[in-house]
Amino acid sequence: MKSAMRPAKPPRRLPPKKPSTNQKDPVGVYCRVRPLSPSDQECCIEVINETTVQLHPPDGCKANRNGEYKETQYSYKQVFGTQVTQKELFDVVSRPLVEDVIRGKNGLLFTYGVTGSGKTHTMTGSPGDGGLLPRCLSMIFNSIGNFQAKRYVFKPDDKNGMDVQNEVDALLERQKREVQPQLITRTPLSRQRMDPEFADMINIQEQCKVEDVDEDSVYSVFVSYIEIYNNYIYDLLEEVPLDPIKPKWNTPGRNAEFIPPQSRILREDLNHNMYIAGCTEVEVKSTEEAFDIFWKGQKRRRIANTQLNRESSRSHSVFMIKLAQAPLDADGDNVLQEREQITLSQLSLVDLAGSERTNRTKAEGSRLREAGNINQSLMTLRTCIEVLRENQLCGTNKMVPYRDSKLTHLFKNYFDGEGKVRMIVCVNPKADDFEESLQVMRFAEMTQEVEVARPVDKPICGLTPGRRYRNQAFKEELTRRLEDRGGPINGDAEDQAVVEILIQSFPPLPSCELLDANDDHTLPKLIEVLEKRRRIRQMMAEEFNKNVSTFRAMLQDLNGVVTAKENIAQGRMTEKDKMIASQKSEMERLDKKIKTLEYKIDILEKTTTIYEDEKRTMQQDLDSHQQKLQRQLSDKRRLEARLQGMMNENAMKWEKECERRVAAKQLEMQNKLWVKDEKLKQLKAIVTETKGDKPERPPREKDREPRGDVFKTRGGGQSVQFTDIETLRQQSPPSGGRKRRSSPSNQPPQGETTDSEWTDVETRCSVAVEMRAGSNLGPGYEHHGVTKRRRP
């Protein structure tokens, strides 16, 4: 029996705000290396360890680039080799995202790589080995299978929100949809009727689920599937009416009159989240139904045959899994009819089109335009990541160009803090993809430096936990007691069974047949039994009223106790909220301080690096200068030694030359002296022969005195300057004529000397004497005698 009085409803909750936490997590980047195909011989990628992969330039690349490329290593959160299974990849990458979705948080997972690197295989899987997408669906339904709401209890409002309906409105909605069935929203297929193309992909043996699911909430799953082709958004689940005359007119590839579906536009909801206006959202109740819808949309996706891949994706596909959850009411029986209590979370699985070079794909026409748009959208994604990284590392505030591409514009909320972001970079180890893989892995490694704000936990509704199981236990106990009294009670016959049990407690009625008009026993007996029944009913009514009053009093007391406890709990929650707010403010302050210190540390590290570089450069310059000085000093020493040797050699040479010249000059002087001596000897002989026994002429005063001075010249020699001049006068000879000295008869008498005789001798001796033997004059100086004139 349900209580007559219900507790007051919880206060209305304000719409959720943007997360304000300062805690951030880096983008999780994982690397998966696909096996090398048999046709490829050379491998250019090697897994070093669980977090590092190394690229080896192929031989042809070295020859063409003259050795420009070198072996490079890239590090990621985790690297998966060629032997990794889909389950191992799912447990590490996708399982935490599914757990967050069930707890009310968003998640984004996308595969990135070159064409033919295994992105679609990683996301979808292959027969017998499902990929990440079917495993995510299986884990979600395994976790919420017992807590799913009935179909159409949750209803999308076409504005990225969700409305909640009661069970009656949901029942009417189901009946309305059953009258007009649709292809996509039909009832789920059984396993026997599933499409054999994907039956093995969702036959996952490993049953995994999330523990600690909120049991007091109901859940509903909605899926949507879109593609971004040539920077336009198309709904792959959109149903177009068939033309009865041309039933195949809108089937791509079968008719030239194919008309593409209408493109969708992006809008922003009240919480500033981006969504696709008019996108089809289908409510699903099982993994089989969800994957059946995905497979139908997958067949509409645009693929083409290129030189690099037989089935190359020509668009970016996005499969969105939206989970709506709302708490049960206080009785734990029905969904709480308050829109503010609904929590929406979304997991977006993105299969990006592969980057490719047109000179390798040999694309032309529309394929060339497709490749250009694919590369442009991927380049925009790379630009957004680089700007985010620069803003976070350098503290700048540059505008992130999300709007340049539909892909980045759609998922900008995830990078602004609306959920976790993870990326799987798929690489092909063949040598032909080396240059493309190099760019992809370089961008993926840089993406790890971008940090995304951590989303906040969903708020608590405030109702008593465990109310679902208490309600179920109450129903089970009531059913058991009723079964003990009168048999099993089923659903709608509950009230009727209670009435029957009450009727059975009255005394049985006697027979009411009157066979005789004078019968006086039947009616009195009937009246007596009815009177007993009336008294019993009155007693039961009084007892019932008494029990109701007692139960009402108990409920009031219980309500008072519950209210008091709620007030106490509310007070405690208020205190806890204040404490949490203070702790959050303290954490924010500490985070700011940590961020400031990290920024200072970063600046100091950069400054230290700059100084170390300058120190290293200056040390190198100093070493080079010292080496240069050492070389110059050694050169100088060698030059000095060489000059000293040359000087010594020249000195010896000049000494020898001087000795030779001196010897030659001495020889020449000796010869000249010998000649002079000979001349003097001849002169002496002449004088001696002429004078005979004449007495020697006494020296004159003028002869005894020096007649000149000797000075040193500027050239190092000496010169003679005469200080006196002797004038000789000649007189006419006597009439007797000139005497001849040769005639002895005419000689004057002995003892008599005349000046004419000395004069005649001096005249005969008027010769120049040069370098006289025993003279103090140096070489080169000449003494010139002046011829004396005869006395008159």
Side-chain angles (χ1 to χ4, degrees):
M1 183 180 296
K2 297 182 181 180
S3 61
M5 298 183 63
R6 295 182 179 179
K9 292 184 179 180
R12 296 177 66 87
R13 188 179 61 179
L14 296 175
K17 297 181 180 180
K18 292 282 185 180
S20 59
T21 178
N22 288 329
Q23 297 179 352
K24 293 184 178 182
D25 296 321
V27 176
V29 180
Y30 303 84
C31 179
R32 185 179 190 183
V33 183
R34 65 163 291 175
L36 192 66
S37 59
S39 59
D40 298 323
Q41 300 296 330
E42 187 176 3
C43 179
C44 65
I45 296 178
E46 178 186 0
V47 178
I48 303 299
N49 51 41
E50 294 182 354
T51 60
T52 307
V53 64
Q54 181 171 336
L55 270 71
H56 304 279
D59 296 336
C61 183
K62 290 182 180 178
N64 295 333
R65 297 286 181 171
N66 296 324
E68 178 182 351
Y69 293 112
K70 299 180 180 178
E71 293 183 355
T72 55
Q73 291 185 358
Y74 298 96
S75 298
Y76 304 99
K77 192 169 185 179
Q78 189 165 345
V79 176
F80 300 95
T82 57
Q83 303 299 325
V84 71
T85 62
Q86 297 280 38
K87 182 182 183 303
E88 294 174 351
L89 183 66
F90 170 78
D91 291 338
V92 175
V93 181
S94 302
R95 187 185 183 101
L97 296 178
V98 176
E99 293 176 352
D100 287 345
V101 167
I102 294 179
R103 293 186 175 92
K105 301 176 183 178
N106 298 327
L108 171 63
L109 172 64
F110 58 94
T111 56
Y112 178 73
V114 186
T115 298
S117 58
K119 300 183 299 298
T120 304
H121 172 75
T122 300
M123 188 64 69
T124 307
S126 58
D129 190 14
L132 300 182
L133 190 148
R135 291 178 184 272
C136 290
L137 291 172
S138 177
M139 184 174 179
I140 290 174
F141 285 107
N142 290 338
S143 303
I144 66 169
N146 298 328
F147 310 126
Q148 289 193 69
K150 294 182 179 180
R151 199 180 292 268
Y152 305 120
V153 170
F154 294 97
K155 185 178 180 181
D157 62 354
D158 296 332
K159 294 181 181 179
N160 204 31
M162 197 71 64
D163 294 327
V164 61
Q165 301 182 127
N166 54 33
E167 292 189 0
V168 176
D169 295 336
L171 178 61
L172 295 176
E173 185 75 18
R174 288 195 297 271
Q175 293 176 354
K176 180 181 177 181
R177 297 295 181 95
E178 289 175 359
V179 174
Q180 297 178 352
Q182 296 183 1
L183 179 63
I184 292 182
T185 59
R186 65 186 180 185
T187 56
L189 297 174
S190 62
R191 190 170 294 275
Q192 288 78 13
R193 296 177 54 192
M194 285 190 302
D195 194 333
E197 290 183 334
F198 66 85
D200 293 337
M201 294 184 185
I202 60 176
N203 187 15
I204 300 173
Q205 301 297 329
E206 305 87 2
Q207 297 294 330
C208 57
K209 64 178 182 179
V210 179
E211 303 295 337
D212 301 330
V213 179
D214 186 7
E215 60 188 22
D216 295 319
S217 298
V218 292
Y219 304 85
S220 287
V221 179
F222 296 83
V223 297
S224 56
Y225 196 19
I226 60 105
E227 72 170 352
I228 302 176
Y229 175 73
N230 287 340
N231 208 25
Y232 289 97
I233 301 176
Y234 297 99
D235 187 2
L236 296 177
L237 304 183
E238 179 184 7
E239 285 297 322
V240 292
L242 297 178
D243 192 341
I245 300 177
K246 298 180 180 180
K248 302 296 183 182
W249 73 277
N250 206 25
T251 302
R254 294 187 178 181
N255 199 305
E257 300 178 1
F258 168 71
I259 300 176
Q262 184 69 29
S263 62
R264 303 297 181 183
I265 60 175
L266 291 174
R267 294 190 183 276
E268 193 174 51
D269 62 6
L270 297 177
N271 295 324
H272 305 288
N273 295 324
M274 303 306 301
Y275 72 98
I276 302 169
C279 182
T280 304
E281 293 183 341
V282 183
E283 186 177 7
V284 290
K285 295 298 179 183
S286 65
T287 305
E288 293 79 12
E289 183 182 4
F291 202 79
D292 178 58
I293 292 173
F294 165 76
W295 199 254
K296 288 181 173 61
Q298 185 74 0
K299 291 181 178 179
R300 300 177 183 178
R301 189 181 175 189
R302 291 171 174 84
I303 60 174
N305 185 8
T306 64
Q307 294 289 333
L308 301 181
N309 194 353
R310 186 173 59 86
E311 294 183 356
S312 175
S313 302
R314 313 310 296 166
S315 63
H316 309 299
S317 67
V318 183
F319 187 77
M320 291 173 283
I321 305 172
K322 183 180 290 186
L323 181 65
Q325 51 183 308
L328 296 173
D329 56 9
D331 295 332
D333 193 12
N334 298 316
V335 182
L336 197 62
Q337 299 294 312
E338 294 185 10
R339 181 181 176 131
E340 292 80 7
Q341 297 293 336
I342 301 175
T343 301
L344 294 177
S345 56
Q346 180 172 299
L347 176 61
S348 300
L349 303 176
V350 185
D351 182 12
L352 296 177
S355 59
E356 58 187 24
R357 293 189 177 183
T358 55
N359 57 355
R360 293 186 58 199
T361 58
K362 309 299 181 183
E364 297 179 355
S366 61
R367 296 290 172 265
L368 181 61
R369 185 171 63 255
E370 291 170 356
N373 289 322
I374 291 171
N375 294 333
Q376 182 63 34
S377 62
L378 294 177
M379 183 61 66
T380 303
L381 175 63
R382 179 176 300 182
T383 303
C384 293
I385 295 295
E386 290 176 352
V387 175
L388 281 172
R389 172 176 169 269
E390 182 179 357
N391 289 341
Q392 294 177 2
L393 294 181
C394 302
T396 58
N397 193 20
K398 292 184 179 180
M399 185 183 68
V400 184
Y402 290 120
R403 295 179 178 269
D404 291 351
S405 172
K406 292 292 193 302
L407 178 67
T408 54
H409 195 194
L410 176 61
F411 296 115
K412 80 177 189 66
N413 303 106
Y414 289 92
F415 293 100
D416 291 340
E418 287 294 336
K420 287 184 179 179
V421 180
R422 293 196 172 183
M423 178 175 70
I424 301 177
V425 52
C426 301
V427 291
N428 193 338
K430 67 178 183 179
D432 294 339
D433 291 346
F434 170 75
E435 295 185 10
E436 289 84 351
S437 299
L438 184 66
Q439 300 297 328
V440 166
M441 300 184 76
R442 186 178 299 167
F443 165 69
E445 188 181 43
M446 179 194 65
T447 305
Q448 297 179 120
E449 301 178 5
V450 177
E451 294 183 345
V452 179
R454 185 180 300 175
V456 297
D457 297 330
K458 70 175 183 179
I460 303 174
C461 66
L463 296 175
T464 306
R467 53 191 179 277
R468 178 195 288 269
Y469 286 139
R470 285 199 299 270
N471 184 41
Q472 292 179 358
F474 172 75
K475 289 182 178 180
E476 291 174 358
E477 182 65 21
L478 180 61
T479 302
R480 186 185 62 80
R481 290 186 179 184
L482 292 177
E483 286 177 354
D484 292 342
R485 289 189 178 185
I489 299 175
N490 297 322
D492 296 336
E494 180 180 352
D495 295 337
Q496 183 179 357
V498 173
V499 171
E500 290 179 356
I501 293 174
L502 292 175
I503 291 175
Q504 290 176 3
S505 63
F506 291 118
L509 293 174
S511 177
C512 298
E513 293 186 21
L514 296 175
L515 300 177
D516 188 2
N518 297 322
D519 188 359
D520 297 332
H521 299 284
T522 303
L523 290 178
K525 288 182 180 180
L526 180 60
I527 291 171
E528 183 181 0
V529 171
L530 291 175
E531 185 65 24
K532 288 181 179 181
R533 287 195 171 194
R534 185 183 65 80
R535 287 196 298 268
I536 293 173
R537 188 184 67 179
Q538 288 180 355
M539 292 173 62
M540 293 179 65
E542 291 175 358
E543 184 69 22
F544 179 75
N545 291 330
K546 187 186 293 184
N547 293 333
V548 167
S549 299
T550 305
F551 189 70
R552 182 179 291 111
M554 291 174 62
L555 286 178
Q556 290 178 355
D557 295 340
L558 181 63
N559 190 17
V561 173
V562 171
T563 304
K565 290 183 178 180
E566 286 182 353
N567 293 332
I568 295 173
Q570 187 69 26
R572 291 179 179 177
M573 289 181 63
T574 304
E575 293 178 358
K576 294 292 184 181
D577 290 339
K578 291 181 180 179
M579 186 182 299
I580 291 172
S582 62
Q583 290 179 355
K584 283 185 177 179
S585 61
E586 182 66 17
M587 289 176 62
E588 290 177 357
R589 186 184 67 80
L590 293 176
D591 288 338
K592 290 181 180 178
K593 187 175 181 180
I594 290 172
K595 193 171 183 179
T596 304
L597 292 176
E598 289 178 350
Y599 180 71
K600 291 181 179 180
I601 291 172
D602 190 14
I603 293 177
L604 291 176
E605 288 179 352
K606 291 181 179 178
T607 307
T608 304
T609 305
I610 294 173
Y611 285 159
E612 288 180 353
D613 294 339
E614 291 181 355
K615 179 182 177 182
R616 192 180 302 110
T617 304
M618 295 176 68
Q619 186 65 34
Q620 292 176 357
D621 294 341
L622 180 60
D623 294 340
S624 62
H625 284 304
Q626 288 181 351
Q627 293 176 1
K628 186 176 180 180
L629 290 175
Q630 291 292 339
R631 289 194 300 268
Q632 291 179 354
L633 183 60
S634 61
D635 293 340
K636 183 178 179 181
R637 289 176 179 175
R638 287 196 299 269
L639 183 60
E640 288 179 352
R642 184 178 177 183
L643 291 176
Q644 187 67 30
M646 293 176 64
M647 290 174 64
N648 295 333
E649 183 179 356
N650 290 333
M652 293 176 64
K653 182 179 178 181
W654 282 109
E655 286 179 358
K656 293 180 179 179
E657 182 68 20
C658 291
E659 291 177 356
R660 184 186 64 80
R661 290 185 180 182
V662 168
K665 200 68 175 178
Q666 287 178 353
L667 182 60
E668 182 182 358
M669 293 295 107
Q670 289 177 1
N671 294 332
K672 288 183 179 181
L673 288 176
W674 182 80
V675 172
K676 296 293 178 68
D677 289 340
E678 291 296 326
K679 289 181 179 181
L680 288 176
K681 289 178 180 180
Q682 294 176 4
L683 180 60
K684 185 177 180 180
I686 293 172
V687 171
T688 304
E689 181 183 356
T690 305
K691 292 184 178 182
D693 295 331
K694 286 182 179 181
E696 195 174 304
R697 180 187 174 188
R700 291 177 297 183
E701 187 68 26
K702 293 181 179 181
D703 294 334
R704 290 193 296 265
E705 295 180 359
R707 301 282 181 95
D709 296 328
V710 179
F711 297 95
K712 293 184 178 180
T713 62
R714 185 173 298 177
Q718 294 177 350
S719 63
V720 179
Q721 182 179 3
F722 292 98
T723 59
D724 190 10
I725 300 175
E726 182 181 357
T727 305
L728 300 180
R729 297 179 181 178
Q730 184 177 0
Q731 294 180 356
S732 300
S735 60
R738 185 176 181 181
K739 295 180 180 181
R740 297 181 63 92
R741 287 175 294 176
S742 60
S743 174
S745 59
N746 296 330
Q747 290 183 356
Q750 190 176 2
E752 294 180 3
T753 59
T754 61
D755 292 337
S756 60
E757 293 178 357
W758 292 101
T759 302
D760 185 63
V761 174
E762 290 179 1
T763 302
R764 293 176 59 188
C765 296
S766 60
V767 294
V769 179
E770 183 177 359
M771 198 61 190
R772 188 178 54 188
S775 175
N776 292 328
L777 298 178
Y781 289 92
E782 297 177 354
H783 175 74
H784 300 279
V786 180
T787 305
K788 295 182 180 181
R789 291 180 295 178
R790 295 176 181 177
R791 292 181 180 181

